[in-house]
Amino acid sequence: MEELAADPVVIERLPVVREALLLSASTQLRNMATIGGNILQRTRCRYFRDATVAACNKRAPGSGCAAVTGPARMHAILGADEHCIAVHASDLCVSLVALDADVHIQGTGGRRTVPLTGFHVRPGDRPDIENVLGHGEIITEVDVPLLPVGTRSGYLKVRDRASYEFALTSAAAALRVEDGVVAEARLALGGVGTVPWRAREAEEILTGAPVDDETFRAAAEAAVRDPFTVPGTEFKVELAKRTVVRILQTVSGVRS
Amino acid sequence: MTAVTGSQLVGDPVDRVDGPLKVRGAAPYPSDVRYPGMAYAALVQSTIAAGTISSIDTAEAEAAPGVLAVLTHENIPDLAEAPLTALGSPPRFPLQDDRIVHHGQHVALVVAGTSGQAAAAARLIRIGYQETPAILDIADPDAPVVTNPWGLESERGDVAAGLASADVVCDETFTIAAETNNPLGLFATVARWDGDRLVVHDSTQWPMMERRTLADVFGIPEDDVRVLVPYLGGAFGAGLRTWPHTILTALAARIVNRPVKLVLTRPQMFTSVGHRPETVQRVRLGATREGRLVALDHEGTSTIGTEEANLEPITMGTPSLYACPNVATHDRQVRLNIPNPGPMRAPGTAQGNFAIESALDELSYAVGVDPIELRLRNHAEVQPGSGLPWSSNALRECYLVGADRFGWAERSAEPRSMRDGTELVGYGMAGAAYHWYQTPCRVRISIGRDGTAHVRSAATDLGTGTYTVTTQLAAELLGLDVGRVRVEIGDSDLPPAPQSGGSGLMISLGNAVHDAAATMLQAFIDAVAGDEASPLRGRRPNEVAVHEGRIHLVADPSAGETYAEILARHGLDEITVDGEVQPQPPAGMAPAGAFAAHFVEVRVDEDLGLLRIARVVSAVDGGRILNEKTARSQITGATVMGIGMAMLEETVFDPSGRIANATFGDYLIPVNADVPTLDAVFVGEPDKSTPIGIKGLGEVGIVGVPAAIANAVHHATGRRIRSLPITMDRLL
Ligand SMILES: Cc1cc2nc3c(=O)[nH]c(=O)nc-3n(C[C@H](O)[C@H](O)[C@H](O)COP(=O)(O)OP(=O)(O)OC[C@H]3O[C@@H](n4cnc5c(N)ncnc54)[C@H](O)[C@@H]3O)c2cc1C
């Protein structure tokens, strides 16, 4: 992770990737962590990770979800339902889904390529199935298309602790602005989704719209449509929207 | 005893004498101890919060590779009760019966040849439970309530009348989440029996208490128990009790007849060694229009386990804080199915201060008086109630010096009136007082023919600097270079010392060293009393001084001789003396603990609810400061903990009674990025209650920091947050 963040092309053309990387974990961890491992990291949900908790549909399909009725803060509000609210906690993936990265997979039966946006699978009623990787398959490569020259991008991570902490909410954005109007937009959310959350509807609202707070707020509303909340995660609905507005303000230059 | 004059008594910022050893990884912490043939233990803990064990099947575990024994309530021998301590009745010993009173209660201990084998076998134990409803909510009407648990409730004057006469009344409720001590060093026990003698290496702040506890429990003489803890990876109060896992490890060592080691896991640290209990406080302040307090009523409620004791004196210090004629305090404990709380740095006081100092800030806005001016108007010039003069009190200076360093004058009083770009800026402050605490302590000092001193006492250094400060103090009092003094502590075979707790160790140990040093000088003078060859013959202690190991006449420094010369001429290998302190509150004055004032600047990003601490200035009256460096470390370290308490730390219980965030990934403590430059300055004078004039500094640093932060948040945002931690959802 640390190596990728220091790559000259990433520095120059993909600030959103670099920022997502550098806001992840700690330097020591990033020195060791691989990109494949980051994409495939398991959720931090403490109900999933603590084997003494009986109810976890991800660990034991059909056993229920203790997080839905227990204290939950670092949990998902998008792509979530009463079966599972475990967050996909990767920062890197949030930036990569925004960029339409492709994942190259090698299996015993050959190679295939899937878009990262289709790689992780929403829990539905099978939270134990987390991605499309089949038995015997590994990730060999990740392709990240470069953003058109003139596009500005960035990543915002909001968390209780100033460093070394997963996101409560985060947002990756890339905007190409022409004459005060958004010509092209990419937007994805982190800390709120059961999978890295691409916000296509918000991108549609942004595209062709004037660069102003009204546009950004409308995009934010669209990005956090139909959330599933429990008492501990209710605040994340508004926080995620404000995170989106802020990153759009920053990337568009409305706010420095 | 005569007071030592202020010109000496160190203050040098000497580096830690144990620093090189720690940096090289050569300091033996309890978890580093190994013995040949040592076995390893692993705990099994309950996964329900209330009920009974209906079945416990250990067959598979017992058959697992390397397993030597499995201890459960069905097979362990009866053990005697542990004794009462200054902190109340001992922790409940869990394996006495089949009852479960909290999630994470120990239910079995597996002993095996390796730690991996023990942990693997622990997972093979099958336990059936008969669950009963658990009580987990401090507001649950079914929870038993203990009123006035320590007999510390007090009333001075007539609070009801005072409140009725007040121009302004503030009546607010404050809540603080449970927190967990989380020293970096995992608590570890290594126990070894040598016949009927027991040696225990343990993470404890109190070897003498632990020695007595183990002696009572195993029915052996105290002299046959040795507790060793030369180094300790932090504790913050968690080491002030002898916890069941320590007793279990000693029992296991006896049963398998081998040394046994147990290291708690991080999640087990959350359930096995206490925590700061959740609290609810109600504060009622009555004041005149000018902000003079006329009534103060403080009620503190904390949680506690279903059957155990915990001293959490939230309101104890309140009557002495301010000059207020009518003050009442009330204490309650609510019994829940939770792991029993225990002391955590400034237990009770840290929480009580948050409520009082927040309420005072509210009062300052209600009457329109600057928060510092308000405190000065209510400053307790003498001890309220008794009217006695303080043995020392520089709280006034703390306010003024701290305000000056901080730049308080630049603050505009109106909330939301200060900005930096898009961020709201807030300045907040709080005062703090810590109570006086001192207990009996003994020390033994030898001076040998090589001219070095060996100082020993059963005290501990949990990272606070006991080794360093004791070395410096002994060096000065014995007239030796720091390099010629060796301090040995952390061993219950040494002369008895109190716990490092209650900010009371250094004052006790320091004064015992002072006593021993005086006796030492007398012993050398006695040795030469009839010695024709000695220029010191027939002199009295006040006629001589010691410099670099040489005793000389004050009137004629050329006349003298060294410790080594005296010992050699008299054919002595060494002279050994004991020193002792029996604390007595000083006559005619009120013994004072440390005082402080903390000043905090916060930045708030209002859109995102992001709170960051920009700077902290602390002015502290710790009496005489023996070592600027270790003293500052105590204050800044405690301030970091205060930042954690204010913004991040919260031990979360889920509906099953399980702690839902019992890992360092989930329980947030501040990292460097959360901590700005911390400025600590010491003010005041040597305290008059003891010869060496020091006051404990280990805890006052955390007291007041959360209130100062919350007050700064109010100043920045106009929002009064009466609930800790102040997380972003509370600021959105
Ligand atoms: C304390 C802590 C804090 C952290 N904070 C953050 C954070 O803030 N943001 C963030 O994004 N992440 C964070 N992480 C997660 C961290 O980034 C991941 O743990 C790391 O990226 C994993 O990389 P790895 O190479 O160690 O993978 P491993 O842990 O070795 O692998 C993870 C999983 O992926 C599988 N795997 C690995 N590579 C491949 C491959 N090529 N093909 C198929 N399967 C594969 C492994 O079999 C395993 O199941 C944190 C982790 C820790 C421990």
Side-chain angles (χ1 to χ4, degrees):
Chain A
M1 289 172 77
E2 197 67 12
E3 222 176 295
L4 185 63
D7 182 276
V9 177
V10 171
I11 291 174
E12 198 187 315
R13 301 288 299 278
L14 298 170
V16 62
V17 172
R18 177 176 158 80
E19 289 167 19
L21 284 166
L22 293 181
L23 292 168
S24 299
S26 64
T27 316
Q28 292 93 326
L29 281 160
R30 293 195 302 268
N31 281 336
M32 297 299 291
T34 63
I35 303 306
N38 187 279
I39 293 172
L40 284 159
Q41 64 176 281
R42 308 300 302 274
T43 184
R44 311 305 298 188
C45 175
R46 267 309 286 171
Y47 302 89
F48 166 74
R49 289 195 171 232
D50 184 345
T52 68
V53 176
C56 176
N57 288 325
K58 198 184 263 305
R59 199 169 6 90
S63 60
C65 174
V68 171
T69 49
R73 180 174 176 81
M74 307 299 292
H75 284 80
I77 56 173
L78 298 173
D81 59 29
E82 70 284 0
H83 296 106
C84 184
I85 56 172
V87 140
H88 192 281
S90 164
D91 291 297
L92 174 65
C93 287
V94 178
S95 68
L96 294 184
V97 293
L99 298 175
D100 282 323
D102 283 327
V103 179
H104 295 259
I105 296 169
Q106 173 82 54
T108 45
R111 301 165 67 88
R112 62 188 179 115
T113 300
V114 297
L116 185 59
T117 47
F119 181 83
H120 297 103
V121 180
R122 295 194 200 179
D125 56 6
R126 288 300 301 275
D128 55 315
I129 301 169
E130 298 184 334
N131 55 61
V132 300
L133 214 55
H135 192 69
E137 285 189 315
I138 61 166
I139 298 175
T140 52
E141 249 172 83
V142 178
D143 258 354
V144 186
L146 294 181
L147 290 163
V149 173
T151 308
R152 291 182 46 164
S153 72
Y155 188 74
L156 174 65
K157 183 170 179 180
V158 179
R159 47 187 164 179
D160 288 312
R161 183 155 76 180
S163 170
Y164 197 25
E165 160 69 338
F166 290 92
L168 273 173
T169 61
S170 73
L175 292 180
R176 191 160 55 80
V177 177
E178 280 171 7
D179 304 326
V181 172
V182 178
E184 194 185 338
R186 308 291 189 94
L187 184 68
L189 275 60
V192 290
T194 51
V195 297
W197 198 260
R198 178 77 178 263
R200 292 193 195 275
E201 203 186 322
E203 291 174 358
E204 279 161 29
I205 289 172
L206 287 165
T207 309
V211 170
D212 58 29
D213 282 353
E214 203 179 318
T215 300
F216 298 159
R217 186 69 206 184
E221 293 294 339
V224 195
R225 187 95 67 214
D226 299 328
F228 175 85
T229 60
V230 297
T233 59
E234 272 161 13
F235 77 99
K236 291 175 98 172
V237 175
E238 180 59 23
L239 184 63
K241 290 176 185 171
R242 294 189 191 185
T243 306
V244 167
V245 170
R246 176 64 64 81
I247 190 67
L248 292 171
Q249 288 172 333
T250 308
V251 168
S252 66
V254 166
R255 179 188 177 116
S256 51
Chain B
M1 273 192 288
T2 52
V4 185
T5 52
S7 60
Q8 330 150 315
L9 274 181
V10 297
D12 301 343
V14 168
D15 287 342
R16 280 169 187 272
V17 296
D18 49 343
L21 209 58
K22 288 188 170 176
V23 171
R24 283 188 284 117
Y29 290 90
S31 57
D32 296 326
V33 173
R34 282 162 192 269
Y35 283 110
M38 188 167 80
Y40 294 81
L43 285 162
V44 180
Q45 298 185 310
S46 84
T47 56
I48 63 161
T52 51
I53 300 172
S54 51
S55 64
I56 183 157
D57 178 357
T58 60
E60 214 183 323
E62 277 167 61
V67 171
L68 301 166
V70 178
L71 277 55
T72 71
H73 69 280
E74 292 181 344
N75 66 8
I76 68 162
D78 279 343
L79 296 173
E81 278 266 310
L84 272 169
T85 77
L87 294 172
S89 56
R92 173 178 185 267
F93 191 73
L95 266 64
Q96 275 167 334
D97 53 36
D98 60 1
R99 289 178 312 124
I100 302 294
V101 298
H102 68 85
H103 200 289
Q105 175 184 316
H106 309 327
V107 291
L109 185 81
V110 179
V111 190
T114 70
S115 56
Q117 288 171 335
R123 284 193 286 272
L124 300 176
I125 294 178
R126 311 265 167 262
I127 302 170
Y129 295 105
Q130 196 74 50
E131 217 173 327
T132 55
I135 299 179
L136 294 162
D137 188 345
I138 193 169
D140 190 325
D142 291 333
V145 176
V146 190
T147 50
N148 195 11
W150 317 287
L152 290 172
E153 290 190 354
S154 64
E155 177 152 18
R156 164 170 91 229
D158 183 341
V159 168
L163 285 171
S165 74
D167 296 327
V168 188
V169 173
C170 295
D171 179 353
E172 298 296 348
T173 297
F174 299 86
T175 61
I176 305 175
E179 295 170 64
T180 300
N181 306 37
N182 274 317
L184 223 44
L186 296 170
F187 271 33
T189 308
V190 176
R192 179 170 67 93
W193 289 85
D194 185 4
D196 276 340
R197 294 210 54 184
L198 172 63
V199 177
V200 171
H201 305 257
D202 198 32
S203 309
T204 177
Q205 293 167 249
W206 200 350
M208 297 315 293
M209 177 276 296
E210 181 131 319
R211 177 174 96 150
R212 203 181 132 212
T213 301
L214 292 169
D216 279 16
V217 166
F218 290 102
I220 54 178
E222 271 192 70
D223 283 348
D224 288 350
V225 179
R226 187 173 185 192
V227 177
L228 291 163
V229 54
Y231 297 94
L232 182 57
F236 309 114
L240 290 171
R241 319 232 49 174
T242 297
W243 299 105
H245 71 265
T246 299
I247 295 171
L248 275 171
T249 307
L251 179 62
R254 199 165 72 176
I255 288 172
V256 302
N257 200 20
R258 282 165 67 166
V260 173
K261 177 179 201 163
L262 173 70
V263 182
L264 297 183
T265 64
R266 182 57 63 184
Q268 287 168 355
M269 288 291 288
F270 282 76
T271 55
S272 311
V273 296
H275 67 271
R276 192 192 294 287
E278 179 186 355
T279 49
V280 177
Q281 299 176 66
R282 181 177 178 203
V283 173
R284 286 183 294 161
L285 290 182
T288 65
R289 234 176 303 286
E290 298 76 40
R292 280 181 213 289
L293 289 173
V294 294
L296 170 50
D297 189 83
H298 189 187
E299 179 186 291
T301 301
S302 60
T303 57
I304 187 172
T306 52
E307 298 174 7
E308 295 175 76
N310 181 46
L311 179 61
E312 198 69 36
I314 299 166
T315 69
M316 184 177 74
T318 303
S320 298
L321 289 178
Y322 291 102
C324 174
N326 307 299
V327 182
T329 64
H330 321 271
D331 303 316
R332 300 163 75 244
Q333 282 183 312
V334 176
R335 293 200 177 278
L336 301 179
N337 290 104
I338 55 170
N340 201 45
M344 177 166 164
R345 206 171 201 168
T349 309
Q351 301 103 302
N353 173 285
F354 170 66
I356 298 286
E357 293 294 310
S358 295
L360 274 180
D361 205 64
E362 301 196 31
L363 178 64
S364 82
Y365 280 93
V367 296
V369 175
D370 176 82
I372 296 178
E373 175 57 27
L374 183 81
R375 285 166 176 82
L376 289 170
R377 283 183 195 174
N378 291 291
H379 180 60
E381 216 55 68
V382 294
Q383 188 187 45
S386 73
L388 290 170
W390 296 102
S391 57
S392 61
N393 186 338
L395 181 56
R396 194 183 272 282
E397 255 176 289
C398 291
Y399 296 139
L400 300 178
V401 171
D404 191 48
R405 275 175 97 96
F406 181 81
W408 184 260
E410 268 121 70
R411 176 183 188 263
S412 73
E414 191 63 28
R416 304 182 66 84
S417 63
M418 291 171 69
R419 273 177 190 275
D420 181 9
T422 54
E423 281 182 333
L424 296 168
V425 175
Y427 286 7
M429 63 81 58
Y434 209 74
H435 47 87
W436 181 89
Y437 182 64
Q438 199 189 343
T439 44
C441 183
R442 298 172 71 96
V443 66
R444 180 162 300 155
I445 303 182
S446 303
I447 291 183
R449 233 194 253 193
D450 62 356
T452 64
H454 182 197
V455 179
R456 46 222 191 269
S457 174
T460 46
D461 186 335
L462 53 156
T464 46
T466 312
Y467 277 109
T468 310
V469 172
T470 307
T471 302
Q472 282 180 278
L473 188 62
E476 176 168 330
L477 292 168
L478 297 168
L480 290 169
D481 280 348
V482 167
R484 301 185 76 76
V485 175
R486 183 164 69 88
V487 172
E488 188 184 355
I489 54 176
D491 178 350
S492 67
D493 276 1
L494 299 174
Q499 72 276 29
S500 31
S503 296
L505 176 63
M506 233 20 254
I507 186 171
S508 308
L509 181 58
N511 283 294
V513 169
H514 179 263
D515 181 49
T519 309
M520 181 66 83
L521 189 56
Q522 184 67 57
F524 271 90
I525 284 179
D526 289 349
V528 297
D531 182 350
E532 301 281 335
S534 177
L536 304 169
R537 182 170 71 103
R539 298 298 183 163
R540 287 193 302 277
N542 60 2
E543 293 175 286
V544 300
V546 196
H547 185 63
E548 301 207 338
R550 181 172 171 275
I551 311 174
H552 62 78
L553 300 184
V554 175
D556 176 13
S558 73
E561 57 180 335
T562 64
Y563 290 133
E565 284 164 349
I566 295 172
L567 291 172
R569 206 169 54 250
H570 291 263
L572 297 168
D573 287 336
E574 61 175 38
I575 287 182
T576 297
V577 301
D578 285 350
E580 182 181 8
V581 60
Q582 286 294 343
Q584 299 145 349
M589 49 182 151
F595 297 95
H598 299 284
F599 298 80
V600 174
E601 177 183 332
V602 299
R603 300 298 175 103
V604 180
D605 178 325
E606 227 189 345
D607 291 346
L608 301 176
L610 272 179
L611 165 64
R612 297 288 177 243
I613 311 294
R615 61 201 174 95
V616 181
V617 174
S618 304
V620 180
D621 165 17
R624 186 195 302 279
I625 301 303
L626 293 175
N627 180 328
E628 273 271 341
K629 207 168 192 168
T630 52
R632 185 180 306 278
S633 292
Q634 282 304 302
I635 300 305
T636 53
T639 302
V640 173
M641 231 167 165
I643 292 173
M645 181 174 176
M647 296 175 59
L648 296 169
E649 295 190 45
E650 176 165 16
T651 304
V652 178
F653 292 87
D654 77 12
S656 74
R658 181 190 72 119
I659 295 176
N661 60 343
T663 73
F664 269 173
D666 300 281
Y667 180 95
L668 301 186
I669 54 174
V671 294
N672 277 326
D674 296 296
V675 180
T677 308
L678 305 176
D679 178 23
V681 58
F682 295 101
V683 301
E685 293 178 343
D687 180 74
K688 291 192 281 291
S689 71
T690 71
I692 62 168
I694 68 169
K695 302 200 271 193
L697 272 179
E699 290 164 291
V700 71
I702 186 175
V703 184
V705 172
I709 291 173
N711 294 341
V713 167
H714 170 260
H715 181 233
T717 65
R719 289 195 200 204
R720 180 66 65 184
I721 312 285
R722 300 186 188 88
S723 189
L724 300 182
I726 305 173
T727 46
M728 65 182 73
D729 41 310
R730 293 186 167 136
L731 291 175
L732 266 185

